[in-house]
Amino acid sequence: MSGDGWRVRDLRPDDEADWRGLWSGYLAFYGEALPEAVTAATWARVLDPEAPLLGRVAERDGAAAGFTLSVLHAGTWTLAPVCYLEDLFVRPDLRGAGVGRALIDDLVALAQARGWGRLYWHTREDNALARRLYDSFTPADDFRRYRLVF
């Protein structure tokens, strides 16, 4: 059990409906619309043990409250694997209830247990609620992100 009674575990095939509901909320939060094929492929990769994608869900009393999707990859500045926390979402009605902290604490514990060299993520500048949580783990660095989309 994680902080505040939240249990965090790997996503399983029977979590698809809950995950899709959370995923839809996540995309809406960022004002994004993805083709169904992308969502289906993402879910398939979460369940594929050969894919470098790690999906975790926070729950209490069997109810999904939030999720993380992370990408494990090699790094050039460390010998150990690196974990990029690509997506983190908490149901709006549960924000501030410790779900986000439980999800990041879970990744920190996995990093330590599995010997990852780094855990990193980013968020939008105006995402003040998330930034307060993230700042409690580590200060933001001074890098800017550049992105080409094809």
Side-chain angles (χ1 to χ4, degrees), residues 74-111:
T76 59
W77 291 22
T78 178
L79 297 175
V82 174
C83 180
Y84 169 50
L85 170 54
E86 186 164 3
D87 305 305
L88 185 153
F89 181 74
V90 173
R91 281 183 12 207
D93 61 313
L94 293 173
R95 292 187 185 142
V99 181
R101 178 167 302 283
L103 286 162
I104 296 175
D105 281 343
D106 170 68
L107 289 174
V108 169
L110 288 175

PDB file of all heavy atoms in Angstrom, residues 74-111:
ATOM      1  N   ALA A  74      17.899   3.214 -22.661  1.00  0.00           N
ATOM      2  CA  ALA A  74      19.321   3.382 -22.366  1.00  0.00           C
ATOM      3  C   ALA A  74      19.630   4.865 -22.341  1.00  0.00           C
ATOM      4  O   ALA A  74      18.918   5.681 -22.933  1.00  0.00           O
ATOM      5  CB  ALA A  74      20.156   2.682 -23.440  1.00  0.00           C
ATOM      6  N   GLY A  75      20.678   5.216 -21.645  1.00  0.00           N
ATOM      7  CA  GLY A  75      21.112   6.604 -21.586  1.00  0.00           C
ATOM      8  C   GLY A  75      22.558   6.741 -21.994  1.00  0.00           C
ATOM      9  O   GLY A  75      23.308   5.767 -21.994  1.00  0.00           O
ATOM     10  N   THR A  76      22.941   7.932 -22.334  1.00  0.00           N
ATOM     11  CA  THR A  76      24.326   8.179 -22.729  1.00  0.00           C
ATOM     12  C   THR A  76      25.180   8.701 -21.574  1.00  0.00           C
ATOM     13  O   THR A  76      26.395   8.738 -21.689  1.00  0.00           O
ATOM     14  CB  THR A  76      24.386   9.208 -23.875  1.00  0.00           C
ATOM     15  OG1 THR A  76      23.773  10.430 -23.444  1.00  0.00           O
ATOM     16  CG2 THR A  76      23.684   8.667 -25.115  1.00  0.00           C
ATOM     17  N   TRP A  77      24.556   9.082 -20.475  1.00  0.00           N
ATOM     18  CA  TRP A  77      25.294   9.623 -19.346  1.00  0.00           C
ATOM     19  C   TRP A  77      25.266   8.710 -18.134  1.00  0.00           C
ATOM     20  O   TRP A  77      25.639   9.100 -17.038  1.00  0.00           O
ATOM     21  CB  TRP A  77      24.746  10.994 -18.961  1.00  0.00           C
ATOM     22  CG  TRP A  77      25.034  12.065 -19.976  1.00  0.00           C
ATOM     23  CD1 TRP A  77      25.315  11.909 -21.297  1.00  0.00           C
ATOM     24  CD2 TRP A  77      25.068  13.461 -19.743  1.00  0.00           C
ATOM     25  NE1 TRP A  77      25.509  13.103 -21.906  1.00  0.00           N
ATOM     26  CE2 TRP A  77      25.360  14.097 -20.967  1.00  0.00           C
ATOM     27  CE3 TRP A  77      24.862  14.258 -18.628  1.00  0.00           C
ATOM     28  CZ2 TRP A  77      25.465  15.467 -21.099  1.00  0.00           C
ATOM     29  CZ3 TRP A  77      24.963  15.627 -18.764  1.00  0.00           C
ATOM     30  CH2 TRP A  77      25.270  16.218 -19.976  1.00  0.00           C
ATOM     31  N   THR A  78      24.790   7.497 -18.317  1.00  0.00           N
ATOM     32  CA  THR A  78      24.727   6.528 -17.227  1.00  0.00           C
ATOM     33  C   THR A  78      24.785   5.124 -17.819  1.00  0.00           C
ATOM     34  O   THR A  78      24.385   4.902 -18.963  1.00  0.00           O
ATOM     35  CB  THR A  78      23.437   6.708 -16.396  1.00  0.00           C
ATOM     36  OG1 THR A  78      23.392   5.722 -15.366  1.00  0.00           O
ATOM     37  CG2 THR A  78      22.186   6.586 -17.250  1.00  0.00           C
ATOM     38  N   LEU A  79      25.293   4.194 -17.035  1.00  0.00           N
ATOM     39  CA  LEU A  79      25.292   2.797 -17.465  1.00  0.00           C
ATOM     40  C   LEU A  79      23.952   2.134 -17.169  1.00  0.00           C
ATOM     41  O   LEU A  79      23.577   1.166 -17.819  1.00  0.00           O
ATOM     42  CB  LEU A  79      26.411   2.024 -16.754  1.00  0.00           C
ATOM     43  CG  LEU A  79      27.832   2.484 -17.059  1.00  0.00           C
ATOM     44  CD1 LEU A  79      28.832   1.709 -16.202  1.00  0.00           C
ATOM     45  CD2 LEU A  79      28.146   2.318 -18.534  1.00  0.00           C
ATOM     46  N   ALA A  80      23.251   2.665 -16.207  1.00  0.00           N
ATOM     47  CA  ALA A  80      21.977   2.083 -15.784  1.00  0.00           C
ATOM     48  C   ALA A  80      20.843   2.558 -16.694  1.00  0.00           C
ATOM     49  O   ALA A  80      20.934   3.618 -17.315  1.00  0.00           O
ATOM     50  CB  ALA A  80      21.695   2.492 -14.339  1.00  0.00           C
ATOM     51  N   PRO A  81      19.762   1.798 -16.771  1.00  0.00           N
ATOM     52  CA  PRO A  81      18.601   2.239 -17.539  1.00  0.00           C
ATOM     53  C   PRO A  81      18.037   3.554 -16.997  1.00  0.00           C
ATOM     54  O   PRO A  81      18.200   3.880 -15.818  1.00  0.00           O
ATOM     55  CB  PRO A  81      17.584   1.109 -17.349  1.00  0.00           C
ATOM     56  CG  PRO A  81      18.370  -0.060 -16.880  1.00  0.00           C
ATOM     57  CD  PRO A  81      19.554   0.497 -16.152  1.00  0.00           C
ATOM     58  N   VAL A  82      17.354   4.268 -17.861  1.00  0.00           N
ATOM     59  CA  VAL A  82      16.745   5.554 -17.531  1.00  0.00           C
ATOM     60  C   VAL A  82      15.234   5.402 -17.694  1.00  0.00           C
ATOM     61  O   VAL A  82      14.759   4.723 -18.608  1.00  0.00           O
ATOM     62  CB  VAL A  82      17.293   6.652 -18.476  1.00  0.00           C
ATOM     63  CG1 VAL A  82      16.587   7.967 -18.259  1.00  0.00           C
ATOM     64  CG2 VAL A  82      18.807   6.794 -18.303  1.00  0.00           C
ATOM     65  N   CYS A  83      14.483   6.065 -16.825  1.00  0.00           N
ATOM     66  CA  CYS A  83      13.017   6.016 -16.891  1.00  0.00           C
ATOM     67  C   CYS A  83      12.483   7.411 -17.160  1.00  0.00           C
ATOM     68  O   CYS A  83      12.715   8.343 -16.380  1.00  0.00           O
ATOM     69  CB  CYS A  83      12.445   5.479 -15.589  1.00  0.00           C
ATOM     70  SG  CYS A  83      10.632   5.373 -15.590  1.00  0.00           S
ATOM     71  N   TYR A  84      11.754   7.545 -18.261  1.00  0.00           N
ATOM     72  CA  TYR A  84      11.078   8.790 -18.601  1.00  0.00           C
ATOM     73  C   TYR A  84       9.608   8.637 -18.265  1.00  0.00           C
ATOM     74  O   TYR A  84       8.910   7.812 -18.860  1.00  0.00           O
ATOM     75  CB  TYR A  84      11.266   9.112 -20.082  1.00  0.00           C
ATOM     76  CG  TYR A  84      10.388  10.240 -20.576  1.00  0.00           C
ATOM     77  CD1 TYR A  84      10.325  11.452 -19.908  1.00  0.00           C
ATOM     78  CD2 TYR A  84       9.605  10.075 -21.708  1.00  0.00           C
ATOM     79  CE1 TYR A  84       9.501  12.478 -20.353  1.00  0.00           C
ATOM     80  CE2 TYR A  84       8.789  11.110 -22.175  1.00  0.00           C
ATOM     81  CZ  TYR A  84       8.740  12.300 -21.484  1.00  0.00           C
ATOM     82  OH  TYR A  84       7.932  13.318 -21.919  1.00  0.00           O
ATOM     83  N   LEU A  85       9.138   9.387 -17.293  1.00  0.00           N
ATOM     84  CA  LEU A  85       7.723   9.411 -16.936  1.00  0.00           C
ATOM     85  C   LEU A  85       7.016  10.280 -17.967  1.00  0.00           C
ATOM     86  O   LEU A  85       7.054  11.503 -17.899  1.00  0.00           O
ATOM     87  CB  LEU A  85       7.549   9.977 -15.521  1.00  0.00           C
ATOM     88  CG  LEU A  85       6.127  10.304 -15.064  1.00  0.00           C
ATOM     89  CD1 LEU A  85       5.191   9.121 -15.227  1.00  0.00           C
ATOM     90  CD2 LEU A  85       6.149  10.814 -13.643  1.00  0.00           C
ATOM     91  N   GLU A  86       6.409   9.639 -18.950  1.00  0.00           N
ATOM     92  CA  GLU A  86       5.803  10.382 -20.066  1.00  0.00           C
ATOM     93  C   GLU A  86       4.413  10.908 -19.734  1.00  0.00           C
ATOM     94  O   GLU A  86       4.062  12.023 -20.118  1.00  0.00           O
ATOM     95  CB  GLU A  86       5.747   9.500 -21.315  1.00  0.00           C
ATOM     96  CG  GLU A  86       5.272  10.255 -22.522  1.00  0.00           C
ATOM     97  CD  GLU A  86       5.555   9.548 -23.836  1.00  0.00           C
ATOM     98  OE1 GLU A  86       6.072   8.422 -23.835  1.00  0.00           O
ATOM     99  OE2 GLU A  86       5.239  10.136 -24.873  1.00  0.00           O
ATOM    100  N   ASP A  87       3.621  10.111 -19.039  1.00  0.00           N
ATOM    101  CA  ASP A  87       2.236  10.490 -18.762  1.00  0.00           C
ATOM    102  C   ASP A  87       1.893  10.187 -17.309  1.00  0.00           C
ATOM    103  O   ASP A  87       2.155   9.089 -16.821  1.00  0.00           O
ATOM    104  CB  ASP A  87       1.271   9.708 -19.657  1.00  0.00           C
ATOM    105  CG  ASP A  87       1.578   9.852 -21.135  1.00  0.00           C
ATOM    106  OD1 ASP A  87       1.636  10.998 -21.612  1.00  0.00           O
ATOM    107  OD2 ASP A  87       1.764   8.820 -21.805  1.00  0.00           O
ATOM    108  N   LEU A  88       1.297  11.154 -16.642  1.00  0.00           N
ATOM    109  CA  LEU A  88       0.762  10.973 -15.294  1.00  0.00           C
ATOM    110  C   LEU A  88      -0.573  11.692 -15.263  1.00  0.00           C
ATOM    111  O   LEU A  88      -0.664  12.860 -15.656  1.00  0.00           O
ATOM    112  CB  LEU A  88       1.707  11.568 -14.247  1.00  0.00           C
ATOM    113  CG  LEU A  88       1.315  11.344 -12.773  1.00  0.00           C
ATOM    114  CD1 LEU A  88       2.541  11.367 -11.896  1.00  0.00           C
ATOM    115  CD2 LEU A  88       0.287  12.317 -12.265  1.00  0.00           C
ATOM    116  N   PHE A  89      -1.605  10.983 -14.806  1.00  0.00           N
ATOM    117  CA  PHE A  89      -2.928  11.585 -14.724  1.00  0.00           C
ATOM    118  C   PHE A  89      -3.629  11.106 -13.469  1.00  0.00           C
ATOM    119  O   PHE A  89      -3.557   9.926 -13.115  1.00  0.00           O
ATOM    120  CB  PHE A  89      -3.780  11.225 -15.945  1.00  0.00           C
ATOM    121  CG  PHE A  89      -5.148  11.842 -15.926  1.00  0.00           C
ATOM    122  CD1 PHE A  89      -5.324  13.193 -16.178  1.00  0.00           C
ATOM    123  CD2 PHE A  89      -6.267  11.077 -15.646  1.00  0.00           C
ATOM    124  CE1 PHE A  89      -6.589  13.783 -16.148  1.00  0.00           C
ATOM    125  CE2 PHE A  89      -7.541  11.645 -15.609  1.00  0.00           C
ATOM    126  CZ  PHE A  89      -7.695  12.999 -15.867  1.00  0.00           C
ATOM    127  N   VAL A  90      -4.313  12.038 -12.812  1.00  0.00           N
ATOM    128  CA  VAL A  90      -5.125  11.747 -11.640  1.00  0.00           C
ATOM    129  C   VAL A  90      -6.533  12.267 -11.918  1.00  0.00           C
ATOM    130  O   VAL A  90      -6.690  13.379 -12.438  1.00  0.00           O
ATOM    131  CB  VAL A  90      -4.537  12.427 -10.379  1.00  0.00           C
ATOM    132  CG1 VAL A  90      -5.468  12.271  -9.192  1.00  0.00           C
ATOM    133  CG2 VAL A  90      -3.157  11.855 -10.067  1.00  0.00           C
ATOM    134  N   ARG A  91      -7.532  11.479 -11.570  1.00  0.00           N
ATOM    135  CA  ARG A  91      -8.919  11.923 -11.730  1.00  0.00           C
ATOM    136  C   ARG A  91      -9.092  13.293 -11.086  1.00  0.00           C
ATOM    137  O   ARG A  91      -8.614  13.522  -9.966  1.00  0.00           O
ATOM    138  CB  ARG A  91      -9.872  10.941 -11.053  1.00  0.00           C
ATOM    139  CG  ARG A  91     -10.148   9.712 -11.835  1.00  0.00           C
ATOM    140  CD  ARG A  91     -11.158   8.776 -11.200  1.00  0.00           C
ATOM    141  NE  ARG A  91     -11.927   9.299 -10.087  1.00  0.00           N
ATOM    142  CZ  ARG A  91     -12.435   8.537  -9.117  1.00  0.00           C
ATOM    143  NH1 ARG A  91     -12.242   7.235  -9.123  1.00  0.00           N
ATOM    144  NH2 ARG A  91     -13.138   9.082  -8.144  1.00  0.00           N
ATOM    145  N   PRO A  92      -9.787  14.209 -11.750  1.00  0.00           N
ATOM    146  CA  PRO A  92      -9.941  15.571 -11.205  1.00  0.00           C
ATOM    147  C   PRO A  92     -10.523  15.612  -9.796  1.00  0.00           C
ATOM    148  O   PRO A  92     -10.109  16.423  -8.976  1.00  0.00           O
ATOM    149  CB  PRO A  92     -10.867  16.255 -12.211  1.00  0.00           C
ATOM    150  CG  PRO A  92     -10.624  15.527 -13.494  1.00  0.00           C
ATOM    151  CD  PRO A  92     -10.357  14.096 -13.098  1.00  0.00           C
ATOM    152  N   ASP A  93     -11.470  14.730  -9.489  1.00  0.00           N
ATOM    153  CA  ASP A  93     -12.101  14.747  -8.166  1.00  0.00           C
ATOM    154  C   ASP A  93     -11.182  14.236  -7.065  1.00  0.00           C
ATOM    155  O   ASP A  93     -11.504  14.365  -5.889  1.00  0.00           O
ATOM    156  CB  ASP A  93     -13.412  13.953  -8.173  1.00  0.00           C
ATOM    157  CG  ASP A  93     -13.215  12.489  -8.521  1.00  0.00           C
ATOM    158  OD1 ASP A  93     -12.498  12.178  -9.498  1.00  0.00           O
ATOM    159  OD2 ASP A  93     -13.781  11.633  -7.813  1.00  0.00           O
ATOM    160  N   LEU A  94     -10.024  13.674  -7.443  1.00  0.00           N
ATOM    161  CA  LEU A  94      -9.085  13.138  -6.450  1.00  0.00           C
ATOM    162  C   LEU A  94      -7.765  13.898  -6.410  1.00  0.00           C
ATOM    163  O   LEU A  94      -6.855  13.508  -5.679  1.00  0.00           O
ATOM    164  CB  LEU A  94      -8.833  11.653  -6.724  1.00  0.00           C
ATOM    165  CG  LEU A  94     -10.045  10.745  -6.494  1.00  0.00           C
ATOM    166  CD1 LEU A  94      -9.751   9.322  -6.952  1.00  0.00           C
ATOM    167  CD2 LEU A  94     -10.463  10.777  -5.032  1.00  0.00           C
ATOM    168  N   ARG A  95      -7.660  14.966  -7.157  1.00  0.00           N
ATOM    169  CA  ARG A  95      -6.425  15.754  -7.118  1.00  0.00           C
ATOM    170  C   ARG A  95      -6.267  16.367  -5.731  1.00  0.00           C
ATOM    171  O   ARG A  95      -7.219  16.842  -5.134  1.00  0.00           O
ATOM    172  CB  ARG A  95      -6.447  16.818  -8.202  1.00  0.00           C
ATOM    173  CG  ARG A  95      -6.367  16.154  -9.560  1.00  0.00           C
ATOM    174  CD  ARG A  95      -6.212  17.118 -10.697  1.00  0.00           C
ATOM    175  NE  ARG A  95      -6.264  16.335 -11.930  1.00  0.00           N
ATOM    176  CZ  ARG A  95      -6.844  16.730 -13.034  1.00  0.00           C
ATOM    177  NH1 ARG A  95      -7.389  17.932 -13.101  1.00  0.00           N
ATOM    178  NH2 ARG A  95      -6.856  15.957 -14.090  1.00  0.00           N
ATOM    179  N   GLY A  96      -5.053  16.306  -5.229  1.00  0.00           N
ATOM    180  CA  GLY A  96      -4.771  16.796  -3.882  1.00  0.00           C
ATOM    181  C   GLY A  96      -4.979  15.739  -2.811  1.00  0.00           C
ATOM    182  O   GLY A  96      -4.755  16.008  -1.630  1.00  0.00           O
ATOM    183  N   ALA A  97      -5.378  14.529  -3.202  1.00  0.00           N
ATOM    184  CA  ALA A  97      -5.644  13.451  -2.236  1.00  0.00           C
ATOM    185  C   ALA A  97      -4.475  12.487  -2.090  1.00  0.00           C
ATOM    186  O   ALA A  97      -4.619  11.441  -1.467  1.00  0.00           O
ATOM    187  CB  ALA A  97      -6.904  12.684  -2.646  1.00  0.00           C
ATOM    188  N   GLY A  98      -3.336  12.820  -2.676  1.00  0.00           N
ATOM    189  CA  GLY A  98      -2.154  11.977  -2.526  1.00  0.00           C
ATOM    190  C   GLY A  98      -1.937  10.957  -3.628  1.00  0.00           C
ATOM    191  O   GLY A  98      -0.986  10.181  -3.573  1.00  0.00           O
ATOM    192  N   VAL A  99      -2.788  10.948  -4.641  1.00  0.00           N
ATOM    193  CA  VAL A  99      -2.659   9.966  -5.723  1.00  0.00           C
ATOM    194  C   VAL A  99      -1.397  10.223  -6.541  1.00  0.00           C
ATOM    195  O   VAL A  99      -0.613   9.301  -6.806  1.00  0.00           O
ATOM    196  CB  VAL A  99      -3.902   9.981  -6.646  1.00  0.00           C
ATOM    197  CG1 VAL A  99      -3.755   8.940  -7.756  1.00  0.00           C
ATOM    198  CG2 VAL A  99      -5.169   9.742  -5.855  1.00  0.00           C
ATOM    199  N   GLY A 100      -1.188  11.460  -6.952  1.00  0.00           N
ATOM    200  CA  GLY A 100       0.004  11.797  -7.733  1.00  0.00           C
ATOM    201  C   GLY A 100       1.276  11.473  -6.974  1.00  0.00           C
ATOM    202  O   GLY A 100       2.224  10.916  -7.527  1.00  0.00           O
ATOM    203  N   ARG A 101       1.312  11.808  -5.690  1.00  0.00           N
ATOM    204  CA  ARG A 101       2.489  11.490  -4.864  1.00  0.00           C
ATOM    205  C   ARG A 101       2.703   9.986  -4.792  1.00  0.00           C
ATOM    206  O   ARG A 101       3.818   9.496  -4.919  1.00  0.00           O
ATOM    207  CB  ARG A 101       2.345  12.078  -3.465  1.00  0.00           C
ATOM    208  CG  ARG A 101       3.541  11.712  -2.557  1.00  0.00           C
ATOM    209  CD  ARG A 101       3.585  12.534  -1.295  1.00  0.00           C
ATOM    210  NE  ARG A 101       3.655  13.953  -1.579  1.00  0.00           N
ATOM    211  CZ  ARG A 101       4.761  14.600  -1.971  1.00  0.00           C
ATOM    212  NH1 ARG A 101       5.885  13.946  -2.137  1.00  0.00           N
ATOM    213  NH2 ARG A 101       4.719  15.891  -2.200  1.00  0.00           N
ATOM    214  N   ALA A 102       1.629   9.221  -4.611  1.00  0.00           N
ATOM    215  CA  ALA A 102       1.748   7.758  -4.551  1.00  0.00           C
ATOM    216  C   ALA A 102       2.300   7.209  -5.869  1.00  0.00           C
ATOM    217  O   ALA A 102       3.132   6.295  -5.865  1.00  0.00           O
ATOM    218  CB  ALA A 102       0.392   7.127  -4.229  1.00  0.00           C
ATOM    219  N   LEU A 103       1.856   7.769  -6.992  1.00  0.00           N
ATOM    220  CA  LEU A 103       2.333   7.296  -8.293  1.00  0.00           C
ATOM    221  C   LEU A 103       3.824   7.601  -8.488  1.00  0.00           C
ATOM    222  O   LEU A 103       4.572   6.756  -8.985  1.00  0.00           O
ATOM    223  CB  LEU A 103       1.506   7.924  -9.414  1.00  0.00           C
ATOM    224  CG  LEU A 103       0.098   7.347  -9.572  1.00  0.00           C
ATOM    225  CD1 LEU A 103      -0.791   8.283 -10.382  1.00  0.00           C
ATOM    226  CD2 LEU A 103       0.150   5.951 -10.210  1.00  0.00           C
ATOM    227  N   ILE A 104       4.260   8.790  -8.093  1.00  0.00           N
ATOM    228  CA  ILE A 104       5.691   9.103  -8.239  1.00  0.00           C
ATOM    229  C   ILE A 104       6.512   8.343  -7.209  1.00  0.00           C
ATOM    230  O   ILE A 104       7.588   7.823  -7.533  1.00  0.00           O
ATOM    231  CB  ILE A 104       5.929  10.620  -8.160  1.00  0.00           C
ATOM    232  CG1 ILE A 104       5.250  11.316  -9.341  1.00  0.00           C
ATOM    233  CG2 ILE A 104       7.442  10.921  -8.170  1.00  0.00           C
ATOM    234  CD1 ILE A 104       5.319  12.825  -9.305  1.00  0.00           C
ATOM    235  N   ASP A 105       6.032   8.242  -5.969  1.00  0.00           N
ATOM    236  CA  ASP A 105       6.738   7.440  -4.968  1.00  0.00           C
ATOM    237  C   ASP A 105       6.939   6.012  -5.467  1.00  0.00           C
ATOM    238  O   ASP A 105       7.991   5.398  -5.238  1.00  0.00           O
ATOM    239  CB  ASP A 105       5.965   7.401  -3.649  1.00  0.00           C
ATOM    240  CG  ASP A 105       6.126   8.658  -2.811  1.00  0.00           C
ATOM    241  OD1 ASP A 105       7.064   9.455  -3.055  1.00  0.00           O
ATOM    242  OD2 ASP A 105       5.291   8.852  -1.891  1.00  0.00           O
ATOM    243  N   ASP A 106       5.933   5.489  -6.145  1.00  0.00           N
ATOM    244  CA  ASP A 106       6.015   4.138  -6.707  1.00  0.00           C
ATOM    245  C   ASP A 106       7.155   4.044  -7.716  1.00  0.00           C
ATOM    246  O   ASP A 106       7.943   3.092  -7.681  1.00  0.00           O
ATOM    247  CB  ASP A 106       4.678   3.790  -7.369  1.00  0.00           C
ATOM    248  CG  ASP A 106       4.744   2.523  -8.182  1.00  0.00           C
ATOM    249  OD1 ASP A 106       4.893   1.431  -7.596  1.00  0.00           O
ATOM    250  OD2 ASP A 106       4.646   2.615  -9.428  1.00  0.00           O
ATOM    251  N   LEU A 107       7.264   5.019  -8.599  1.00  0.00           N
ATOM    252  CA  LEU A 107       8.345   4.992  -9.586  1.00  0.00           C
ATOM    253  C   LEU A 107       9.708   5.163  -8.936  1.00  0.00           C
ATOM    254  O   LEU A 107      10.687   4.533  -9.353  1.00  0.00           O
ATOM    255  CB  LEU A 107       8.115   6.046 -10.663  1.00  0.00           C
ATOM    256  CG  LEU A 107       6.969   5.764 -11.616  1.00  0.00           C
ATOM    257  CD1 LEU A 107       6.744   6.949 -12.551  1.00  0.00           C
ATOM    258  CD2 LEU A 107       7.218   4.482 -12.425  1.00  0.00           C
ATOM    259  N   VAL A 108       9.794   5.989  -7.907  1.00  0.00           N
ATOM    260  CA  VAL A 108      11.051   6.151  -7.173  1.00  0.00           C
ATOM    261  C   VAL A 108      11.459   4.814  -6.554  1.00  0.00           C
ATOM    262  O   VAL A 108      12.624   4.394  -6.644  1.00  0.00           O
ATOM    263  CB  VAL A 108      10.934   7.259  -6.109  1.00  0.00           C
ATOM    264  CG1 VAL A 108      12.131   7.255  -5.162  1.00  0.00           C
ATOM    265  CG2 VAL A 108      10.779   8.627  -6.768  1.00  0.00           C
ATOM    266  N   ALA A 109      10.510   4.133  -5.936  1.00  0.00           N
ATOM    267  CA  ALA A 109      10.799   2.827  -5.329  1.00  0.00           C
ATOM    268  C   ALA A 109      11.222   1.814  -6.389  1.00  0.00           C
ATOM    269  O   ALA A 109      12.171   1.039  -6.171  1.00  0.00           O
ATOM    270  CB  ALA A 109       9.582   2.318  -4.553  1.00  0.00           C
ATOM    271  N   LEU A 110      10.548   1.808  -7.548  1.00  0.00           N
ATOM    272  CA  LEU A 110      10.949   0.903  -8.632  1.00  0.00           C
ATOM    273  C   LEU A 110      12.356   1.242  -9.126  1.00  0.00           C
ATOM    274  O   LEU A 110      13.156   0.345  -9.397  1.00  0.00           O
ATOM    275  CB  LEU A 110       9.954   0.977  -9.795  1.00  0.00           C
ATOM    276  CG  LEU A 110       8.587   0.340  -9.566  1.00  0.00           C
ATOM    277  CD1 LEU A 110       7.678   0.595 -10.766  1.00  0.00           C
ATOM    278  CD2 LEU A 110       8.719  -1.153  -9.308  1.00  0.00           C
ATOM    279  N   ALA A 111      12.649   2.533  -9.260  1.00  0.00           N
ATOM    280  CA  ALA A 111      13.977   2.958  -9.712  1.00  0.00           C
ATOM    281  C   ALA A 111      15.059   2.437  -8.769  1.00  0.00           C
ATOM    282  O   ALA A 111      16.092   1.921  -9.221  1.00  0.00           O
ATOM    283  CB  ALA A 111      14.043   4.479  -9.806  1.00  0.00           C
TER     284      ALA A 111
END
